[in-house]
Amino acid sequence: MLHRDLKSLNILLDENLTPKIADFGWTRLLADKMTLKVGTFQWMAPEVIKTKSYTEKADIYSFGIILWEIASREAPYKTLNGYQVSIDVVENKLRPPVSADWPKPFTKLMATIIMVTLSAVAPVASLMMNLEKDFCFSKAIRPAMNSGRFNTV
């Protein structure tokens, strides 16, 4: 299943500050042909902008942009409109700038997600292992990930 509009604005926090993914209006099952340009350009993977052939790795790219937002405390590409972002991300390989002041494991994870083509992005299981190892994410997340049970609203 692909969310296709994963962005910080679609992640809510409950009373315990547990993130909940929201807004499933563009969600669909993976198919051979997918719709172009679905979602919000600032979080959209280049492959989603330019081709009808993409996978769940498009959501992983969006997650990478969310990581950048967390580190920078800014909206991605805040000086550009969506149309400009779509052109620059595809044609000029525009990516948000990474600061040398950010923790190295964090920037390494972001780079492995947003600085490469989607075909080169690691599978979700591999990314989860890196999150657990480098950031001490709870291993309680893994059973939910493997069973398909996510915290959603």
Side-chain angles (χ1 to χ4, degrees):
M1 185 177 302
L2 284 76
H3 188 281
R4 302 194 313 164
D5 196 21
L6 190 59
K7 58 186 175 183
S8 57
L9 301 171
N10 289 338
I11 301 175
L12 311 175
L13 299 176
D14 69 11
E15 64 278 356
N16 299 313
L17 300 180
T18 301
K20 307 277 186 177
I21 299 173
D23 189 358
F24 290 87
W26 290 112
T27 301
R28 70 171 285 185
L29 296 175
L30 184 62
D32 289 336
K33 296 285 184 187
M34 302 292 284
T35 310
L36 284 168
K37 300 180 177 127
V38 174
T40 308
F41 285 121
Q42 285 81 347
W43 290 266
M44 195 181 300
E47 290 81 352
V48 177
I49 296 169
K50 68 180 180 180
T51 181
K52 291 183 179 181
S53 179
Y54 55 90
T55 67
E56 70 282 348
K57 291 182 179 184
D59 282 346
I60 295 172
Y61 177 92
S62 299
F63 174 68
I65 299 295
I66 293 167
L67 291 177
W68 181 88
E69 282 184 279
I70 291 168
S72 69
R73 298 179 182 179
E74 294 181 13
Y77 314 113
K78 65 182 181 180
T79 61
L80 302 175
N81 66 43
Y83 179 73
Q84 291 170 311
V85 171
S86 70
I87 291 171
D88 285 346
V89 163
V90 171
E91 293 181 9
N92 303 321
K93 301 194 183 322
L94 176 69
R95 299 297 184 272
V98 176
S99 171
D101 296 334
W102 297 346
K104 294 292 180 231
F106 199 79
T107 55
K108 178 182 171 192
L109 179 61
M110 269 189 293
T112 63
I113 296 173
I114 65 174
M115 301 300 183
V116 298
T117 62
L118 288 186
S119 60
V121 170
V124 172
S126 174
L127 293 172
M128 285 301 298
M129 287 188 330
N130 286 338
L131 285 170
E132 290 170 357
K133 182 182 78 163
D134 293 338
F135 301 103
C136 301
F137 271 46
S138 169
K139 291 187 193 271
I141 295 171
R142 184 172 299 286
M145 294 277 302
N146 290 340
S147 69
R149 291 178 285 120
F150 291 93
N151 287 333
T152 59
V153 293

